C-alpha cells in the first residue's frame, strides 16, 4: 500500500508542478469509458492507471480492489454504481477520465457524464459484440452531441472472441457506417495456434504507425517497426515466415488509407501519385495519416476501432495514444472566445455527498478560470454561491488546487443550492453567458417502494436523507401518496442501492416496503364541463375568478413524450417545452409548472401518476391575473378538474426487452413461460433485430468498400458457437418484450428451466397500455377495485 501511494504522490506532484500559466487546453481530453455491463470499463480504467504509472499494480473487480469502484456497494457487488472521475497524465496529454456504470439502472450517471465530455471510448466484449446497453449508451452520446468516439474491442483473449464478428456488429446495429480498424490482433506468434483454434492475444499490428507490438508472458510490451519493403516481411524476425498474418497486413493498411482518402482530396491525390507496387503505401509518414484521421474523427466521418485485452494490459498503450491523437480537446468544440479575463461559466454535471467534505459539486469549466473564495451565480436557481475550496478528484482521493482553468474538470466544495445540470457564471456576466447547455434527460422511473420510518422521531431524518439523495441522483423520485412516502427508481437493483445508501451514508432508521411496479394512468375520453378552466376563490375578502388558459388532450400514438414530464408533453403558447419546476430560474413560471406537476403526480381516479397527456398553457396570462402566491394552486386545481371530468383513463405498465440465452433443449420451456407471463417473442437467433420502440430496425449499414477483418484473425472465434458447460450443446437466443411486473424474479425461474445454464439481459422498453382484464388486476393490486 505504501508503494502504491508513493506512485500517487509522484503523480500528484507532476500535476501540481504544472503552472497554469503554461496550461494548454489543446492537450486536455475530457473523455469517458462507456459500454454494456461487464464489458471491462473498470478493468480498462485500472489498466490505464497502471500504464500511466498512477498505480504500481492493477486492481481487480473480482477482489474489490479497483481505484474507481470505491463505494462499499460497488466492491461488494463487483459493479460500477456511480461515475468516478480521475485525471490521467499520458505523455503530453491530460485525460480527465470518467469511468461510468454499464447497468441500465444507473443510466443517469452516463447521462450526466455525457454532458461534459468531448470524446468517449466505447467498449465491446469481443465474444458478445454490440449488446443492448451498447446501443443505449451510444444513443446517450448522440443525444448530448459528443463529437468524437473510439471503439475498443475488449476481451480478445477470451474463448470465442471474434474480431470480425464484433466489427460486423457495429454495422449490423447501425452504430456507424464507416468503422476503421487501426489495429489487428495477433492471437499468437506460433502459427500452429491458429490451426488449433487456440484463444488468446499476444500482439497487435498498428496499421497507422506501421509497428508491431509484442507482449511477453510477464506482460512486458515491446514495439518494433515493420519493414517498409513488402519482400522484407517474409525475412523479418518479427514473425515466423509461415505466420498467416504476414500476407494480410499490407492489404489491410492499403484499404485503410484508401478508405480514409475518400474524405480527403489531398490524401487521395498523394496516393494516386505514389508509384504502384506492393510497397507503395508503406513509407507514408504516420503523422500525415494521423492528421487526416483526426480531422475525419472530429467530423464524425469515421469510427476508429482498436482491440486488446484490458485485463492483460494488452492494447492499452495504443488506445491511450489514439485517445490523445484523435479525441476532441476543449478547443475543438464550440466554446466562448477566451480573451483576456473571460467571464467564468461552469456546468455542474454531478452533485455528491461526502461525510467529511459535505456537498461536492463536479463541474466542467466552459469559459474563464474559476478561483477559490470567488462568488458565482447559479442561473437555474437565481442564487449566489460561495466557492470555498477547489479539488482535483482522483476517485476517492483528492488534491486541493487554487484554480480550475478553461476546459478542466474538477470539484467545488461549499455550494449550497446547486444541483445536477445547473449552470454557474461569474457575477455581472453578460446575459448570453447565462444560457444553459442541453438539460439532462432523467430516465423514467419504473419501480417503487414505500419508505417507513421506524418511529416518529425518525420521520424528519428520513425525509432529509431522501432530499439529499434526490439531489445526488436525479433519477430517484420521491413523493407522498395517501400518507406513504414512496421512492421511485429505474429498477430493482437501483432501489437496492438506494436503500443501502440511505443506511450507510445517512444512517437513518427505516424499513423498505415491498417493491412494486410504477403504473401510469392516461387521460380519459370524457367531455369536460363548461367552465372547467375557471378558478374561483376569495382573495383578501374579495371574490376572484380567473380563466386558466389550458388546452388538454390525450397524446396520439405517434407523438413522443417528454421524459422531463414523465412521458407527457407540456408546452407554452408558442410550442416551446416548459422546464420542470426545479429547473426553472423564473419564480413565477416555476409556480405554474409546479402546479401542473402536482396535478399530474396523482390521478383522482387511481392515485397513479399521469402520463401521455398533451398540455398547452400561456403562463403570462395567469401571471397578470392573480398574485404569484396563488398561481400553483390555481393551475393544479383547474388541471385536476379537467382530469376528473374526463373520467378514468387507460392504465399503462412498464415493459422490458429481454434477450435470453439458453440451451436448445430448454428453448421450448422458456418460450412457453414467456407467453404464459404476458411476454411476446420478437425474434429467435443471434442478436436482436428490434429497436427500443418495438419496431423492426432498418437493415444494417452496408459493407461495400469497407475493410472487413478476416475471421481467422481470432482463431477461437472461427466457426465458434456458444456452448454450455454441460456438454457443448448449442445455445439459442430469444428476444422478447414482456411486462416488468411478471419478471421481477426471472433469474430464479430461468435457472430452474435451463438447468442453471440460462442467462438474460433486461432493458426498459417504456410504458404500454394494458388490456381490460389486466386493468382490473392492477386496480385490485393497488386497492382501487
Amino acid at each position: 500500500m505504501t508503494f502504491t501511494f508513493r506512485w500517487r504522490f509522484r503523480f500528484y506532484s507532476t500535476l501540481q508542478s504544472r503552472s497554469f500559466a503554461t496550461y494548454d487546453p489543446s492537450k486536455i481530453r475530457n473523455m469517458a469509458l462507456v459500454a454494456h455491463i461487464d464489458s471491462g470499463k473498470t478493468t480498462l480504467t485500472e489498466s490505464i492507471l497502471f500504464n500511466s504509472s498512477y498505480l504500481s499494480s492493477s486492481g481487480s473487480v473480482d477482489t474489490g480492489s479497483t481505484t474507481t469502484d470505491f463505494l462499499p456497494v460497488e466492491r461488494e457487488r463487483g459493479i460500477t454504481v456511480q461515475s468516478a472521475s480521475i485525471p490521467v497524465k499520458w505523455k503530453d496529454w491530460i485525460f480527465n477520465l470518467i469511468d461510468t456504470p454499464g447497468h441500465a439502472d444507473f443510466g443517469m450517471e452516463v447521462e450526466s457524464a455525457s454532458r461534459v465530455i468531448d470524446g468517449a471510448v466505447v467498449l465491446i466484449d469481443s465474444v458478445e459484440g454490440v449488446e443492448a446497453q451498447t446501443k443505449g449508451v451510444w444513443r446517450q452520446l448522440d443525444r448530448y452531441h459528443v463529437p468524437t468516439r473510439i471503439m475498443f474491442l475488449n476481451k480478445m483473449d477470451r474463448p470465442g472472441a471474434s474480431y470480425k464478428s464484433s466489427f460486423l456488429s457495429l454495422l449490423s446495429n447501425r452504430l456507424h457506417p464507416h468503422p476503421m480498424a487501426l489495429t489487428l490482433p495477433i492471437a499468437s506468434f506460433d502459427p500452429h495456434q491458429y490451426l488449433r483454434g487456440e484463444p488468446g492475444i499476444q500482439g497487435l499490428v498498428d496499421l497507422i504507425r506501421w509497428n508491431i507490438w509484442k507482449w511477453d508472458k510477464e506482460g512486458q510490451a515491446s514495439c518494433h517497426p515493420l519493414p517498409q519493403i513488402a519482400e522484407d516481411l517474409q525475412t523479418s524476425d518479427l514473425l515466423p515466415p509461415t505466420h498467416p498474418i504476414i500476407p494480410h497486413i499490407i492489404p489491410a493498411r492499403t484499404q485503410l488509407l484508401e478508405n480514409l482518402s475518400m474524405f480527403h482530396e489531398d490524401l487521395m491525390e498523394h496516393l494516386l501519385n505514389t508509384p504502384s507496387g506492393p510497397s507503395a503505401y508503406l513509407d507514408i509518414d504516420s503523422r500525415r495519416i494521423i492528421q487526416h484521421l483526426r480531422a475525419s474523427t472530429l467530423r464524425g466521418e469515421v469510427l476508429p476501432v482498436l482491440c486488446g485485452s484490458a485485463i492483460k494490459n494488452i492494447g492499452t498503450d495504443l488506445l491511450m495514444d489514439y485517445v490523445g491523437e484523435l479525441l476532441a480537446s476543449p478547443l475543438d468544440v464550440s466554446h466562448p472566445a477566451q480573451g483576456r479575463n473571460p467571464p467564468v461559466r461552469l456546468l455542474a454535471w454531478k452533485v455528491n455527498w461526502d461525510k467529511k467534505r459535505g456537498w461536492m459539486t463536479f463541474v466542467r469549466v466552459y469559459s474563464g478560470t474559476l478561483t477559490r473564495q470567488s462568488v458565482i451565480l447559479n442561473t437555474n436557481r437565481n442564487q449566489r454561491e460561495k466557492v470555498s475550496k477547489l479539488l482535483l478528484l482522483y476517485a476517492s482521493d483528492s488534491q486541493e488546487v487554487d484554480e480550475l482553468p478553461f476546459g478542466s474538470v474538477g470539484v467545488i466544495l461549499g455550494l449550497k443550492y446547486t444541483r445536477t445540470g445547473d449552470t454557474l457564471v461569474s457575477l455581472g456576466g453578460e446575459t448570453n453567458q447565462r444560457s444553459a447547455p442541453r438539460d439532462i434527460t432523467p430516465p423514467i422511473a419504473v419501480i417503487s417502494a414505500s419508505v417507513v420510518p421506524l418511529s416518529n422521531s425518525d420521520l424528519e431524518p428520513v425525509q432529509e436523507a431522501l432530499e439529499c439523495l434526490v439531489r445526488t441522483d436525479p433519477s430517484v423520485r420521491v413523493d407522498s401518496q395517501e400518507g406513504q412516502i414512496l421512492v421511485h427508481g429505474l429498477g430493482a437493483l437501483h432501489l437496492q442501492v438506494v436503500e443501502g445508501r440511505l443506511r450507510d451514508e445517512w444512517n437513518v432508521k427505516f424499513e423498505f416496503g415491498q417493491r412494486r411496479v410504477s403504473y401510469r394512468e392516461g387521460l380519459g375520453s370524457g367531455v369536460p364541463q363548461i367552465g372547467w378552466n375557471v378558478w374561483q376563490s376569495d382573495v383578501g375578502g374579495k371574490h376572484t375568478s380567473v380563466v386558466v388558459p389550458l388546452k388538454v388532450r390525450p397524446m396520439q400514438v405517434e407523438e413522443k413524450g417528454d421524459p422531463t414530464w414523465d412521458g407527457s408533453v407540456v408546452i407554452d403558447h408558442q410550442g416551446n417545452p416548459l422546464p420542470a419546476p426545479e429547473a426553472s430560474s423564473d419564480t413565477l413560471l416555476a409556480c405554474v409548472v409546479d402546479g401542473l406537476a402536482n396535478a399530474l403526480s396523482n390521478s383522482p381516479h387511481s392515485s397513479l401518476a399521469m402520463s401521455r397527456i398533451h398540455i398547452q398553457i400561456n403562463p403570462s396570462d395567469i401571471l397578470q391575473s392573480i398574485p404569484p402566491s396563488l398561481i400553483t394552486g390555481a393551475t393544479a386545481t383547474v388541471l385536476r378538474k379537467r382530469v376528473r371530468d374526463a373520467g378514468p383513463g387507460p392504465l399503462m405498465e412498464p415493459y422490458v426487452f429481454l434477450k435470453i440465452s439458453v440451451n436448445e433443449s430448454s428453448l421450448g420451456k422458456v418460450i412457453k413461460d414467456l407467453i404464459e407471463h404476458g411476454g411476446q417473442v420478437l425474434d429467435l437467433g443471434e442478436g436482436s433485430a428490434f429497436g427500443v420502440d418495438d419496431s423492426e430496425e432498418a437493415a444494417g449499414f452496408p459493407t461495400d468498400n469497407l475493410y472487413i477483418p478476416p475471421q481467422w484473425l481470432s482463431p477461437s472465434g472461427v466457426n465458434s458457437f456458444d456452448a454450455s458447460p454441460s456438454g457443448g450443446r448449442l445455445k439459442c437466443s430469444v428476444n422478447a418484450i414482456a411486462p416488468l411486473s411478471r419478471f421481477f424474479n426471472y433469474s430464479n425461474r430461468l435457472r430452474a428451466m435451463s438447468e442453471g445454464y440460462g442467462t438474460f439481459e433486461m432493458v426498459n422498453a417504456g410504458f404500454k397500455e394494458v388490456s381490460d382484464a389486466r386493468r382490473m388486476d392492477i386496480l385490485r393490486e393497488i386497492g382501487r377495485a
Side-chain angles (χ1 to χ4, degrees), residues 72-211:
V73 65
E74 293 177 315
R75 295 188 168 178
E76 176 185 344
R77 295 178 179 270
I79 62 172
T80 301
V81 167
Q82 68 173 13
S83 299
S85 175
I86 187 165
V88 176
K89 188 177 190 305
W90 178 251
K91 297 183 177 178
D92 292 333
W93 298 291
I94 295 292
F95 304 152
N96 290 316
L97 171 63
I98 302 175
D99 178 23
T100 66
H103 200 288
D105 281 14
F106 310 106
M108 187 66 180
E109 295 289 322
V110 183
E111 291 276 346
S112 60
S114 299
R115 289 279 303 277
V116 295
I117 58 174
D118 304 319
V121 175
V122 185
L123 283 78
I124 286 182
D125 184 332
S126 297
V127 177
E128 305 295 339
V130 172
E131 300 177 85
Q133 194 59 13
T134 313
K135 293 186 283 187
V137 297
W138 191 269
R139 285 190 295 270
Q140 289 174 302
L141 297 175
D142 286 341
R143 183 156 57 243
Y144 297 105
H145 309 296
V146 177
T148 52
R149 301 163 206 186
I150 291 176
M151 190 67 61
F152 184 69
L153 308 185
N154 193 25
K155 302 187 178 183
M156 288 297 300
D157 57 313
R158 285 186 61 193
S162 173
Y163 191 60
K164 178 182 180 180
S165 298
S166 298
F167 195 91
L168 289 175
S169 71
L170 304 176
L171 296 168
S172 62
N173 288 279
R174 302 183 65 82
L175 293 195
H176 201 284
H178 296 106
M180 187 170 289
L182 307 189
T183 61
L184 298 181
I186 300 176
S188 173
F189 288 92
D190 181 358
H192 299 291
Q193 303 283 2
Y194 285 82
L195 299 177
R196 293 196 293 265
E198 294 288 341
I201 180 169
Q202 295 180 1
L204 291 171
V205 177
D206 184 349
L207 296 174
I208 300 295
R209 293 190 172 92
W210 201 234
N211 294 329

Side-chain angles (χ1 to χ4, degrees), residues 322-370:
Y322 283 113
V323 164
E325 297 283 7
L326 304 180
L327 292 190
S329 75
L331 297 176
D332 294 316
V333 298
S334 177
H335 64 279
Q338 298 299 297
R340 185 174 183 180
N341 297 324
V344 174
R345 183 166 177 259
L346 324 167
L347 177 69
W349 62 276
K350 183 178 177 180
V351 177
N352 207 356
W353 170 257
D354 185 87
K355 293 180 181 180
K356 296 180 179 179
R357 303 185 184 104
W359 287 109
M360 305 173 62
T361 305
F362 293 71
V363 297
R364 158 82 185 265
V365 182
Y366 283 93
S367 177
T369 298
L370 180 68

Side-chain angles (χ1 to χ4, degrees), residues 220-333:
Q220 297 298 317
S222 57
C223 180
H224 311 272
L226 285 166
Q228 295 184 349
I229 299 177
E231 292 75 12
D232 291 348
L233 281 173
Q234 294 288 346
T235 58
S236 170
D237 59 355
L238 296 176
L239 292 164
T242 58
H243 200 285
I245 203 171
I246 290 179
H248 183 73
I249 54 178
I250 292 180
R253 178 177 167 95
T254 301
Q255 186 73 52
L256 184 153
L257 293 175
E258 290 179 350
N259 289 346
L260 185 59
S261 70
M262 300 301 293
F263 304 100
H264 301 275
E265 292 185 4
D266 56 338
L267 179 60
M268 179 177 290
E269 184 177 350
H270 179 77
L271 296 182
L272 292 175
N273 293 331
T274 301
S276 59
S279 306
Y281 295 167
L282 301 189
D283 61 348
I284 298 178
D285 189 354
S286 63
R287 290 173 295 182
R288 180 172 192 161
I289 303 174
I290 290 175
Q291 177 185 357
H292 292 298
L293 183 60
R294 175 175 173 77
S296 289
T297 304
L298 288 173
R299 293 194 295 263
E301 295 168 340
V302 301
L303 174 65
V305 180
L306 295 96
C307 63
S309 171
I311 198 169
K312 294 185 175 181
N313 295 313
I314 294 178
T316 305
D317 296 68
L318 275 80
L319 175 64
M320 295 166 72
D321 283 345
Y322 283 113
V323 164
E325 297 283 7
L326 304 180
L327 292 190
S329 75
L331 297 176
D332 294 316
V333 298

Side-chain angles (χ1 to χ4, degrees), residues 725-773:
S726 59
R729 289 171 288 179
L730 184 66
K731 272 201 170 185
C732 302
S733 293
V734 181
N735 298 284
I737 186 171
L740 174 62
S741 59
R742 312 287 185 90
F743 287 82
F744 266 160
N745 299 311
Y746 186 59
S747 57
N748 296 331
R749 290 211 312 268
L750 181 62
R751 190 179 300 114
M753 289 184 291
S754 63
E755 300 176 359
Y757 298 118
T759 59
F760 75 98
E761 301 170 10
M762 184 182 294
V763 178
N764 290 337
F767 284 79
K768 296 184 179 295
E769 289 190 16
V770 301
S771 63
D772 291 340

Side-chain angles (χ1 to χ4, degrees), residues 504-560:
D504 299 337
E505 296 181 34
W506 283 278
N507 300 318
V508 290
K509 299 178 181 179
F510 66 95
E511 288 184 356
F512 246 40
Q514 182 180 358
R515 288 160 177 80
R516 296 180 180 274
V517 163
S518 297
Y519 302 107
R520 300 289 190 274
E521 181 182 337
L523 186 66
S525 57
V527 179
Q529 297 179 8
I530 297 175
W532 65 269
N533 59 343
V534 177
W535 178 80
Q536 301 182 48
S537 180
D538 290 332
V539 180
K542 181 181 178 181
H543 180 75
T544 303
S545 178
V546 176
V547 176
V548 180
L550 276 179
K551 293 182 180 179
V552 185
R553 64 170 174 82
M555 290 176 58
Q556 303 298 321
V557 175
E558 66 275 7
E559 289 182 294
K560 187 175 181 180

Side-chain angles (χ1 to χ4, degrees), residues 666-726:
S666 306
L667 183 61
K669 290 184 287 185
V670 168
I671 293 177
K672 180 182 177 183
D673 177 79
L674 272 170
I675 296 174
E676 288 177 348
H677 288 82
Q680 176 186 355
V681 177
L682 302 177
D683 184 42
L684 295 175
E686 288 297 322
S688 174
F690 291 81
V692 294
D693 57 355
D694 195 20
S695 61
E696 192 168 352
E697 288 186 348
F701 289 125
T703 60
D704 301 342
N705 300 320
L706 289 178
Y707 167 74
I708 305 299
Q711 187 68 283
W712 55 260
L713 274 180
S714 308
S716 70
V718 178
N719 299 323
S720 66
F721 58 86
D722 290 326
S724 72
S726 59

